[in-house]
Amino acid sequence: MAATFFGEVVKAPCRAGTEDEEEEDERKKETPEDREVRRQLARKREVQLLRRQTDTSLEVSLLEKYSCSKFIIAIGGNAVAFLSSFVMNSGVWEEVGCAKLWNEWCRTTDSAHLSPSEAFCVFYHQKCNPSVFLCQCSCYVAEDQQYQWLEKVFGSCPRKNMQITILTCRHVTDYKTSECTGSLPSPFLKALKTQNFRGRVCCSLLEQPNIVHDLPAAVLSYCQVWKIPAVLYLCYTDVMKLDLITVEAFKPILSSRSLKGLVKNIPQSTEILKKLMTANEIQSNIYT
Amino acid sequence: MFVPCGDSVPDLTGFTLLMPAVSVGNVGQLAIDLIISTLNMPKIGYFYTDCLIPMVGNNPYATAEENSTELSTNTEVYSSPSRKLVALQLRSIFIKHKSKSFCEKLLSWVKSSCFAAVIVLSSSHSYHRNDLQLRSSSKDIQMAVLLKFVSEGDNIPDALGLVEYLNEWLQIIKPHSDDPTASSLRWKIPSSWRLLFGNGFPPALF
């Protein structure tokens, strides 16, 4: 407990998170109805992988069903826009699955009929080379769902003969530096790679004491532990909503081995990106 | 589960396991950082579970450009074979309702690895005393908990105090001299402790 200047006694905040005893106390006070509500909530929060065309769940994890040599995962609106404009518009991609999940931030209930502005998580493979996979994930995957997502996508038998590339954004105020945040030239790109990644990295590595959380961290941790070559490209930006300059900050990655061969016409892709931005601005107009 | 860095699982029979409790001020975790950094303990594996919030970053104990690019995750295992010590470091908090599952998995690993003893470094709020933490007593595992009463804030001095107390018992490094200020100089502060209290500020502010 701590006393404030006003003389009130309040519970002091703790960097260590919820204490174990609080969880134990909650459990002891639970009625059968509480337990049922908690079970139903856990079921609602389960991550499911399904084929939208048939509205059926995948019987096994995605990478147990399909062989994969290259997997590019875009997490967040700007990373998704980058892959849409530069990679998906340069080839023919077939949808192979969609992750259906519900949490306080991502309330998509009907994954079969998603509008462009809704958050989603869809998996594709390239028609001419089906071992090349893409994931476009613009929904937030909560901390209790991240390991489930990994299991549904990667399964229980990690494969080392594939390369993973993850693209995501973070707000520039999360970047720890001895300089003042306001003087940083955002957006800028940083990278983290697993021990088994041997390729060239397209920007400087993320220095300590900076760390990464959430789904990108879950995927990279999985790759590090199971010795899968993987690289995470992190764009620090001061604009978290869809933004042309932020998306274009990912451009150095176009010369990497992961994306080489997947991108055909960069000027055309840039035009497609500008149209995507314009379309998004119209949708976000409160008068339409 | 424990996943080794190399191809085979190292033999840890008879080793002492040091681990932190994720607790107020993160003092236990800071203390384990000091031990790993000072003894230059190499990483031998990961304790991979679905119980802690995922996080990654580059080597928190980097001393030079060459060793600064090794990726680190939320739960890693380090060892000092000459001292028969193993250190488990936890770098994030438990996912809600997963702490019990973690304890069960950890105890299973402790038993299968045949550790001689487990020492937990922890901290508690200054206003709060509670003895409910010792879950292993019924599982025939020798365990001790070293706990310091602290408040949230700059907990580096608390971590130094806790490792000094552990060192008096285990003699991990040379015992301290009579000069109390010498204690903080013998422990190597990890490079990842930079900027704990925020970025630089704009000079124009003044």
Side-chain angles (χ1 to χ4, degrees), chain A residues 1-2 10-21 23-28 30 38 143-148 150-151 160 172-181 184 191-195 205-227 230 232, chain B residues 1 3-7 22-27 29-30 43 46 48-61 68-74 76 91 93-100 103 125 127-128 130 132-133 135 152-155 191-203:
Chain A
M1 296 298 196
V10 295
K11 190 166 167 143
C14 178
R15 295 194 301 259
T18 309
E19 301 203 34
D20 290 350
E21 295 106 62
E23 282 183 25
E24 287 233 9
D25 289 343
E26 271 175 34
R27 294 272 172 124
K28 283 176 190 163
E30 264 186 351
R38 197 161 51 79
E143 60 194 39
D144 60 317
Q145 296 171 318
Q146 286 156 17
Y147 288 105
Q148 279 190 59
L150 281 176
E151 207 169 316
K160 292 179 196 170
V172 71
T173 49
D174 284 345
Y175 183 69
K176 287 194 183 347
T177 171
S178 51
E179 292 172 48
C180 157
T181 306
L184 294 170
L192 281 174
K193 58 185 175 79
T194 62
Q195 194 155 357
L205 293 176
L206 186 65
E207 316 85 351
Q208 271 286 352
N210 290 288
I211 55 176
V212 175
H213 296 281
D214 293 330
L215 189 62
V219 177
L220 206 65
S221 297
Y222 177 90
C223 294
Q224 173 70 2
V225 169
W226 299 113
K227 302 179 175 68
L232 162 66
Chain B
M1 60 182 288
V3 181
C5 288
D7 296 322
V22 181
S23 52
V24 63
N26 307 102
V27 175
Q29 293 157 293
L30 293 173
K43 182 162 59 179
Y46 308 91
Y48 188 69
T49 67
D50 60 352
C51 302
L52 283 96
I53 288 175
M55 55 95 9
V56 286
N58 273 328
N59 184 6
Y61 313 113
S68 65
T69 59
E70 296 158 18
L71 196 69
S72 270
T73 63
N74 61 1
E76 296 187 319
R91 298 197 174 100
I93 56 174
F94 290 108
I95 292 169
K96 207 165 165 60
H97 306 305
K98 289 280 190 177
S99 57
K100 193 173 172 199
C103 284
H125 282 294
Y127 60 81
H128 189 214
N130 195 308
L132 292 175
Q133 308 301 323
R135 294 184 206 271
E152 287 271 350
D154 178 1
N155 297 105
S191 52
S192 55
W193 284 19
R194 285 176 60 235
L195 305 170
L196 272 179
F197 301 105
N199 287 357
F201 45 81

Side-chain angles (χ1 to χ4, degrees), chain B residues 10 40 42 116 119 121 136 142 167 172:
Chain B
N40 208 17
I119 300 172
L121 304 183
S136 76
Q142 290 209 59
N167 199 46
I172 301 170

Side-chain angles (χ1 to χ4, degrees), chain A residues 46-277:
Chain A
E46 267 173 23
V47 175
Q48 291 171 52
L49 220 56
L50 40 92
R51 284 196 71 95
R52 285 199 286 182
Q53 297 91 327
T54 54
D55 201 27
T56 51
S57 293
L58 261 63
E59 317 80 37
V60 292
S61 71
L62 189 77
L63 298 189
E64 278 174 294
K65 190 175 168 70
Y66 299 99
S67 145
C68 173
S69 61
K70 202 187 269 192
F71 195 178
I72 305 162
I73 306 173
I75 300 170
N78 285 306
V80 163
F82 175 77
L83 278 195
S84 284
S85 314
F86 288 89
V87 177
M88 294 196 74
N89 279 300
S90 296
V92 181
W93 296 84
E94 185 183 39
E95 185 179 316
V96 292
C98 165
K100 184 176 171 181
L101 57 99
W102 182 96
N103 56 52
E104 292 74 13
W105 298 271
C106 173
R107 294 174 179 232
T108 306
T109 47
D110 181 6
S111 53
H113 304 100
L114 287 168
S115 76
S117 58
E118 271 190 278
F120 55 83
C121 180
V122 188
F123 301 87
Y124 305 88
H125 71 183
Q126 199 179 28
K127 243 188 155 165
C128 63
N129 185 358
S131 72
V132 176
F133 279 78
L134 267 192
C135 169
Q136 297 280 61
C137 183
S138 73
C139 61
Y140 177 66
V141 181
E143 60 194 39
D144 60 317
Q145 296 171 318
Q146 286 156 17
Y147 288 105
Q148 279 190 59
W149 189 98
L150 281 176
E151 207 169 316
K152 296 287 178 181
V153 174
F154 291 95
S156 49
C157 299
R159 293 178 194 195
K160 292 179 196 170
N161 55 348
M162 60 178 171
Q163 181 158 300
I164 315 271
T165 306
I166 310 151
L167 278 61
T168 194
C169 285
R170 275 247 100 77
H171 201 275
V172 71
T173 49
D174 284 345
Y175 183 69
K176 287 194 183 347
T177 171
S178 51
E179 292 172 48
C180 157
T181 306
S183 65
L184 294 170
S186 69
F188 57 91
L189 216 54
K190 288 287 179 184
L192 281 174
K193 58 185 175 79
T194 62
Q195 194 155 357
N196 287 66
F197 180 82
R198 297 278 176 258
R200 186 182 68 88
V201 170
C202 305
C203 58
S204 54
L205 293 176
L206 186 65
E207 316 85 351
Q208 271 286 352
N210 290 288
I211 55 176
V212 175
H213 296 281
D214 293 330
L215 189 62
V219 177
L220 206 65
S221 297
Y222 177 90
C223 294
Q224 173 70 2
V225 169
W226 299 113
K227 302 179 175 68
I228 299 169
V231 61
L232 162 66
Y233 288 106
L234 186 53
C235 178
Y236 282 97
T237 175
D238 50 6
V239 182
M240 289 308 285
K241 66 180 179 92
L242 204 55
D243 169 60
L244 182 66
I245 298 171
T246 301
V247 175
E248 290 196 321
F250 283 111
K251 270 183 164 171
I253 304 169
L254 295 174
S255 61
S256 70
R257 215 172 72 170
S258 321
L259 264 64
K260 230 176 191 169
L262 298 179
V263 181
K264 300 270 159 37
N265 189 333
I266 294 175
Q268 189 184 40
S269 298
T270 309
E271 281 311 306
I272 293 168
L273 176 62
K274 285 181 181 157
K275 285 184 185 157
L276 191 70
M277 294 292 153

